[in-house]
Amino acid sequence: MPDPNKQPELIGLPEELLICAEDSTISVHDTEEDGPKRFDMVAYTGGQLLLAKYPYPVVVELSGLEIPRQSRPVFKDHQPSDIVGHTDTIQAADGCLTATGLVSGTGPAAKEVLGSGKNGFPWQASIGAYPKHIVFVPAGHKIEANGRTFEGPIYVAKKAVLREISFVALGADDHTSARLAASGNLEVLSMEFTQWAQDKGFAVETLDESNVKAIRAMYDAEMAAEQAGTENVETPIQAAGVVDPVQDMRSQAVGELRRINAIRKLCGDQHPDIEAKAIEDNWDLKDVEIAVLRESRPSAPAIHAAETAPAGQAIEAALCLANGMDEAIVAQGYDERTMNAAHSADLRSYGLHSLVYEVIRAAGEYVRPGRIDNDTIRAAFRADQRLIQASGGFSTVSLSGILGNVANKSMLAAYQAVNGVATQICGSTDANDFKSFTRYRLSGTGTFLKVGPDGELKHAGLAEESYSNQLDTWGRMITLTRQMMINDDMGAFLQIPRLIGRMSALALEEAVFTLLLSNPDDFFSTDNGNYFDGADSALDIDSLSVAEKKFLDQTDAAGKPILVRPAILLTPTGLGTFAGQLYNDTQVNQVPANNKAKPTSNPHAGKFRPEVSPYLNLSSIPGSSSTAWHLLADPNDTPIMEIAYLRGKRLPTIESGETDFNVLGMQWRGYFDFGVAMCDERGGVKSKGAA
């Protein structure tokens, strides 16, 4: 058993605390409104926790818990790939950490949480937090935290940063209420040292590692001197001619702190290598100044990017997070190490100005830090070109490359956020250019024939059926202006790619439904056997049965059944709720002629996945209707429509470009190449609905 009066040696100190209070609670509200369900939770009640690798309980002091944003991702079991939703309110008050939010995820994790929660499963809440300052309280001592008094031995996380919140089923056992993620180099300080430092006027939680080590040396020397004084009373420290070791150590520590601060002032943010070497090897300040001057000189013609420069991907991730992009979406494009770097203190508040100086430094050039002006901007552009030329176009720290990638991720996030239907009901293909092209549907004529005694196989005929398609381009220019750079305004810069992403998705939706509602060449018609109207065509169980029969009766060119089953019920917004009932409920209310609703058994439950689009009833599109509906095949089987993309590019694209000579800035172009066409009339049936 460890000595409760002494802090035990910890191997692999925790980088992240995953905290699940035993009495945490979660409530998911079963509201009647459409859209994501809301939840509220008590994530932590401020008590003692048993954590892996900690021999004694841990308390997280809520007054020192940093909450970077109210909107934090919510996972299942702390797995970023298992997205449940996000918070909109997080509050640490009255000794508890509470949160509310939306189950906005659409994957298996969110569905599992909703489904099991509906059945009464008691989900618990768990928070993931990075500890920044931990104090060990030995036996016989007490400490105040979260409005309560705790007795040692115990650890108190005085400062931590909230990263995410998770739904968890249960702790490791009845007494385990948290677990440990990775290992790091966090130093756990004793309560005695922390109190001693405070008495001397030092706040250790606000100092960096080197300063804490210097103060720790003072503390160790004083403790050693006190112990020596009690064991050897015959040789008093204050004897004539003898230097007080405690005072001497204090003087040395103060001098060392002053030397370190002076070195850091000379090096600034531009020379971390020199700073580290100077502190470690006890350089004189003149030597530091000379080294900084040498390092600041341009090293033409070769380019040497500093090894300590943050990786380009970490900078990209940090810029995405700093500009409000959902962390779960950002994490999909980077590994865990990159995301941890993006959350570091160096990159947490990264902006355009930080990137400008980083690019200049990586190119071996130097500008005086301060306000960004025209000279700084030109220096950044020159540095960017040198880096790209020296690396053959593959520099990891590039102004145009990093901003282009951030803009691309912002655009794709906006594109994917649009709740579109087009790609759910259409097939897809690729084209090599923008010329009109023809696609052929080859359908066999006749059926398999019995092989005769001579073993000869008869030839089957092929009937060619064709349709045409052609690509078009939608796009817009993006410019990083001089004003944006001076204002350090990434938000203004990213407005354009977000708009391109959203408008690309909307352009695709509008193109698909404009063509569908125009009904070219009587695509849906009684002659094709895929259209019906009249008073009995309004969406209900009977009309859906009629549409299903028409669908199953479809034949090929030889008059043989095609054996394709309907899979999707496509409706305008006014019919969306009823379409959902027809899919989910085994009984629905029919309204007969006497206008009195009565429950009726629903034979179509679970058959046809409902899809709803407002474009179907948009009055500005010719052919729109608030009552017409479609029954469609799976687009992977027999699509009624097809979307063609240029050479496999299913998403919008952003590329860098050159600005005009009279424009001090950088440019990118965002565009999307696609075309839509009607494909196979046997892949759907349309009902006019009520007259």
Side-chain angles (χ1 to χ4, degrees):
M1 292 294 291
D3 184 354
N5 295 298
K6 180 181 179 183
Q7 175 188 316
E9 194 73 24
L10 300 182
I11 301 175
L13 294 173
E15 185 179 272
E16 182 179 6
L17 302 172
L18 303 185
I19 305 163
C20 171
E22 252 181 282
D23 51 356
S24 65
T25 58
I26 298 179
S27 297
V28 179
H29 303 298
D30 190 13
T31 58
E32 296 181 359
E33 295 84 359
D34 292 336
K37 303 297 184 184
R38 294 197 61 81
F39 66 82
D40 56 69
M41 62 173 66
V42 178
Y44 175 48
T45 55
Q48 300 183 58
L49 309 167
L50 298 180
L51 305 187
K53 295 190 180 181
Y54 282 89
Y56 302 118
V58 176
V59 172
V60 179
E61 190 160 354
L62 291 174
S63 62
L65 182 63
E66 180 183 341
I67 303 173
R69 293 192 306 273
Q70 290 294 302
S71 178
R72 304 300 300 171
V74 177
F75 304 137
K76 178 178 174 290
D77 297 326
H78 300 285
Q79 297 298 319
S81 59
D82 293 340
I83 300 173
V84 175
H86 67 277
T87 64
D88 52 25
T89 301
I90 306 174
Q91 185 176 11
D94 300 325
C96 290
L97 183 70
T98 59
T100 63
L102 295 171
V103 182
S104 54
T106 59
K111 292 178 181 178
E112 179 184 355
V113 166
L114 287 174
S116 56
K118 187 176 181 180
N119 294 332
F121 184 81
W123 287 100
Q124 288 185 313
S126 177
I127 65 171
Y130 290 123
K132 295 174 65 176
H133 175 53
I134 296 181
V135 172
F136 173 69
V137 182
H141 291 73
K142 297 181 180 180
I143 191 169
E144 298 287 334
N146 300 330
R148 297 152 68 176
T149 301
F150 298 95
E151 295 185 357
I154 195 172
Y155 293 93
V156 177
K158 303 286 286 184
K159 289 187 176 295
V161 180
L162 179 65
R163 183 169 182 264
E164 49 84 15
I165 299 178
S166 285
F167 281 65
V168 296
L170 195 62
D173 54 50
D174 287 344
H175 299 289
T176 299
S177 54
R179 61 188 178 86
L180 184 64
S183 296
N185 57 0
L186 179 68
E187 182 180 7
V188 179
L189 306 176
S190 67
M191 182 181 180
E192 289 88 346
F193 168 67
T194 302
Q195 186 61 51
W196 179 89
Q198 290 175 350
D199 293 342
K200 301 296 183 184
F202 297 108
V204 292
E205 65 270 14
T206 64
L207 301 177
D208 59 26
E209 184 179 355
S210 59
N211 286 341
V212 171
K213 286 183 178 179
I215 298 172
R216 185 68 173 265
M218 295 169 54
Y219 170 78
D220 291 340
E222 182 170 317
M223 295 302 102
E226 288 182 1
Q227 185 175 4
T230 56
E231 293 178 355
N232 189 4
V233 296
E234 296 180 358
T235 54
I237 291 177
Q238 298 299 330
V242 178
V243 177
D244 184 345
V246 175
Q247 186 61 41
D248 183 56
M249 180 58 71
R250 286 179 182 154
S251 299
Q252 291 182 34
V254 170
E256 178 65 10
L257 287 175
R258 288 174 178 170
R259 187 181 75 88
I260 291 173
N261 289 333
I263 290 173
R264 287 186 171 149
K265 186 175 181 180
L266 286 172
C267 294
D269 296 331
Q270 308 297 320
H271 307 287
D273 289 341
I274 296 176
E275 177 186 312
K277 190 70 174 173
I279 293 174
E280 181 180 3
D281 295 346
N282 196 28
W283 285 10
D284 185 85
L285 294 181
K286 290 184 178 180
D287 295 332
V288 178
E289 188 173 2
I290 292 172
V292 168
L293 289 173
R294 287 175 178 172
E295 182 73 16
S296 301
R297 294 171 184 166
S299 52
I303 302 244
H304 302 284
E307 293 181 356
T308 57
Q313 287 194 339
I315 295 176
E316 291 173 14
L319 286 172
C320 290
L321 294 173
N323 286 277
M325 196 178 298
D326 188 270
E327 184 173 347
I329 295 176
V330 177
Q332 294 175 5
Y334 304 101
D335 58 24
E336 183 178 359
R337 183 178 179 182
T338 301
M339 291 301 295
N340 289 339
H343 279 289
S344 67
D346 292 337
L347 298 182
R348 192 175 300 150
S349 300
Y350 217 78
L352 273 173
H353 288 186
S354 303
L355 179 58
V356 165
Y357 286 121
E358 185 64 45
V359 169
I360 293 172
R361 187 177 74 85
E365 299 186 10
Y366 176 77
V367 293
R368 183 180 298 278
R371 291 184 177 180
I372 296 287
D373 54 20
N374 290 349
D375 291 337
T376 309
I377 296 173
R378 292 191 181 96
F381 292 166
R382 287 196 308 270
D384 187 59
Q385 290 299 316
R386 294 185 65 199
L387 286 169
I388 294 174
Q389 293 170 4
S391 64
F394 294 99
S395 174
T396 59
V397 181
S398 161
L399 186 64
S400 56
I402 288 176
L403 290 179
N405 289 340
V406 173
N408 195 56
K409 287 177 172 58
S410 179
M411 176 191 67
L412 294 182
Y415 177 84
Q416 294 168 347
V418 174
N419 187 23
V421 175
T423 57
Q424 304 299 315
I425 64 172
C426 296
S428 62
T429 189
D430 297 321
N432 291 323
D433 51 39
F434 293 92
K435 298 176 183 177
S436 178
F437 61 91
T438 301
R439 286 281 187 266
Y440 294 92
R441 301 189 302 271
L442 298 178
S443 58
T445 58
T447 60
F448 269 21
L449 300 177
K450 184 177 181 180
V451 179
D454 58 357
E456 181 182 1
L457 296 176
K458 304 299 182 182
H459 289 281
L462 291 176
E464 291 188 351
E465 300 175 0
S466 64
Y467 61 96
S468 297
N469 202 344
Q470 185 173 8
L471 302 185
D472 288 309
T473 300
W474 284 258
R476 188 168 175 178
M477 295 298 296
I478 315 170
T479 301
L480 175 67
T481 66
R482 168 178 170 272
Q483 288 82 2
M484 292 176 185
M485 297 186 72
I486 291 177
N487 294 338
D488 201 11
D489 196 349
M490 275 290 292
F493 168 68
L494 293 178
Q495 283 180 359
I496 300 299
R498 290 192 188 108
L499 178 62
I500 289 177
R502 181 168 182 79
M503 295 308 296
S504 296
L506 295 179
L508 181 61
E509 292 291 312
E510 185 169 350
V512 165
F513 284 99
T514 298
L515 180 62
L516 176 66
L517 293 174
S518 70
N519 198 31
D521 300 322
D522 290 329
F523 188 87
F524 293 104
S525 63
T526 54
D527 290 341
N528 287 334
N530 62 356
Y531 177 78
F532 67 104
D533 56 12
D536 295 333
S537 63
L539 180 61
D540 60 16
I541 290 176
D542 294 336
S543 62
L544 194 54
S545 299
V546 171
E548 182 181 28
K549 181 179 184 304
K550 282 184 173 292
F551 202 108
L552 297 175
D553 288 343
Q554 295 274 17
T555 60
D556 61 16
K560 302 295 184 180
I562 61 173
L563 299 182
V564 176
R565 290 188 173 274
I568 300 171
L569 177 57
L570 177 64
T571 69
T573 54
L575 299 177
T577 301
F578 187 50
Q581 290 178 323
L582 289 171
Y583 182 72
N584 293 309
D585 298 346
T586 57
Q587 284 193 329
V588 296
N589 285 332
Q590 291 280 78
V591 183
N594 60 10
N595 212 29
K596 292 183 179 179
K598 65 177 181 179
T600 301
S601 178
N602 176 21
H604 301 299
K607 280 187 178 181
F608 314 123
R609 185 182 81 245
E611 294 288 353
V612 179
S613 175
Y615 286 96
L616 290 173
N617 51 271
L618 187 62
S619 60
S620 60
I621 298 181
S624 62
S625 169
S626 61
T627 60
W629 50 275
H630 300 73
L631 193 60
L632 308 177
D634 186 329
N636 295 315
D637 185 359
T638 308
I640 61 163
M641 300 184 72
E642 184 178 74
I643 304 173
Y645 302 93
L646 182 64
R647 299 169 188 169
K649 288 289 292 182
R650 262 60 171 173
L651 296 169
T653 300
I654 284 185
E655 294 177 348
S656 60
E658 298 293 332
T659 58
D660 296 333
F661 179 77
N662 61 341
V663 176
L664 186 58
M666 306 186 86
Q667 268 188 175
W668 293 262
R669 52 179 174 261
Y671 58 88
F672 194 19
D673 303 313
F674 67 86
V676 297
M678 303 306 296
C679 184
D680 194 335
E681 68 273 6
R682 291 163 297 194
V685 170
K686 179 178 180 179
S687 169
K688 183 179 181 181

